[in-house]
Amino acid sequence: NNKGIFLKGCAPHNGNIKNTIIEIIRKIKNVCILDQIKTVGFTGNIDLEKVTIFDPVIASVEANKYCQTKCRNILSIGCENFYLIRLDKKYNYIDHIVNSDCASGTGGFIDQQAERLGFSTKKLAEMALEFNQSPPSIATRCAVFAKSDIIHAQARGHSKQAICAGLCKGVARSVLANTLKGRQISGDILFTGGMSLNQKIADELSKELGKKVIFPEDSLVFNAIGAAVLGDHSVKDIDGILKGMNT
């Protein structure tokens, strides 16, 4: 609303996107007076009949203006995609580049490697941050190569902390290699998406770029903020949207 963000949340969908959205909307209806909500907006990789889905890049640009971050670059790393958006001095869109269909370097990739090592994604991030020496090189351009490098690193006696740090460093380098591609960036970088919770990756990004990496308070739901601002569906449409999702 005009006074800022008064409710936010995050829920894993485990592949069942529609039912998760239904549950989230039901929770909103339980804690909010719907008549006070003017519009509803959606963003993400989902196709809903007769529902406008805002592109995540557009949502990010809008959220950046709304939150007044004063950043001219937005780097977002989510579960299956990462992208870099460049903005002009008035924080308007200049261009962006997104990763290919390959999920290497994304949150899903890190999730897979964490599972392979035997712990949670959060634990992987914590262990990586504990390691302050030079980590082993772990290929992050491909899950198969990563698996091979992890096995070799373990065979050479590297600790799990070292391997986690190597994974995070590799992800940071891979993301930048696939988004910068010779582009020059001016100003600070805003880091959003689920991977922004990984402090080690953020530190490695800062080292590689020689620039400050900033975390917005609501980095995990940044795109949702943009979609909420852009929202063009009446709150009265919610029941219809829910009905459509159930079919």
Side-chain angles (χ1 to χ4, degrees), residues 16-181:
N16 195 341
I17 299 175
K18 289 187 178 182
N19 284 343
T20 303
I21 293 176
I22 290 171
E23 186 59 31
I24 289 173
I25 292 176
R26 284 176 177 161
K27 287 181 179 179
I28 292 173
K29 292 174 72 174
N30 288 334
V31 298
C32 297
I33 300 173
L34 292 190
D35 289 343
Q36 294 180 350
I37 300 175
K38 294 182 179 179
T39 56
V40 180
F42 295 85
T43 185
N45 297 327
I46 184 171
D47 185 20
L48 301 174
E49 186 177 355
K50 297 180 180 179
V51 176
T52 302
I53 307 295
F54 293 106
D55 185 273
V57 172
I58 295 173
S60 289
V61 174
E62 196 64 33
N64 190 59
K65 291 180 179 179
Y66 179 82
C67 295
Q68 299 180 1
T69 70
K70 297 183 179 180
C71 288
R72 291 179 54 191
N73 308 281
I74 306 171
L75 178 63
S76 176
I77 310 179
C79 181
E80 59 180 338
N81 294 109
F82 59 78
Y83 51 81
L84 174 68
I85 307 170
R86 294 193 306 164
L87 308 172
D88 64 20
K89 292 181 179 180
K90 294 184 177 180
Y91 311 110
N92 294 315
Y93 173 89
I94 294 177
D95 61 18
H96 81 281
I97 187 166
V98 64
N99 66 307
S100 65
D101 291 338
C102 179
S104 62
T106 64
F109 173 83
I110 285 289
D111 288 345
Q112 185 182 52
Q113 306 317 313
E115 184 178 355
R116 177 171 289 136
L117 289 167
F119 36 76
S120 68
T121 304
K122 180 180 179 180
K123 184 65 175 177
L124 183 149
E126 292 172 350
M127 293 179 73
L129 197 59
E130 293 172 358
F131 190 80
N132 297 315
Q133 302 174 44
S134 179
S137 177
I138 306 293
T140 54
R141 65 187 183 278
C142 173
V144 175
F145 293 155
K147 178 181 179 181
S148 178
D149 281 353
I150 288 172
I151 292 172
H152 290 317
Q154 289 174 323
R156 293 196 300 270
H158 287 287
S159 67
K160 287 191 175 181
Q161 285 90 342
I163 294 171
C164 290
L167 276 166
C168 292
K169 183 174 183 176
V171 164
R173 287 185 170 181
S174 178
V175 167
L176 292 178
N178 283 285
T179 53
L180 291 181
K181 295 186 175 180

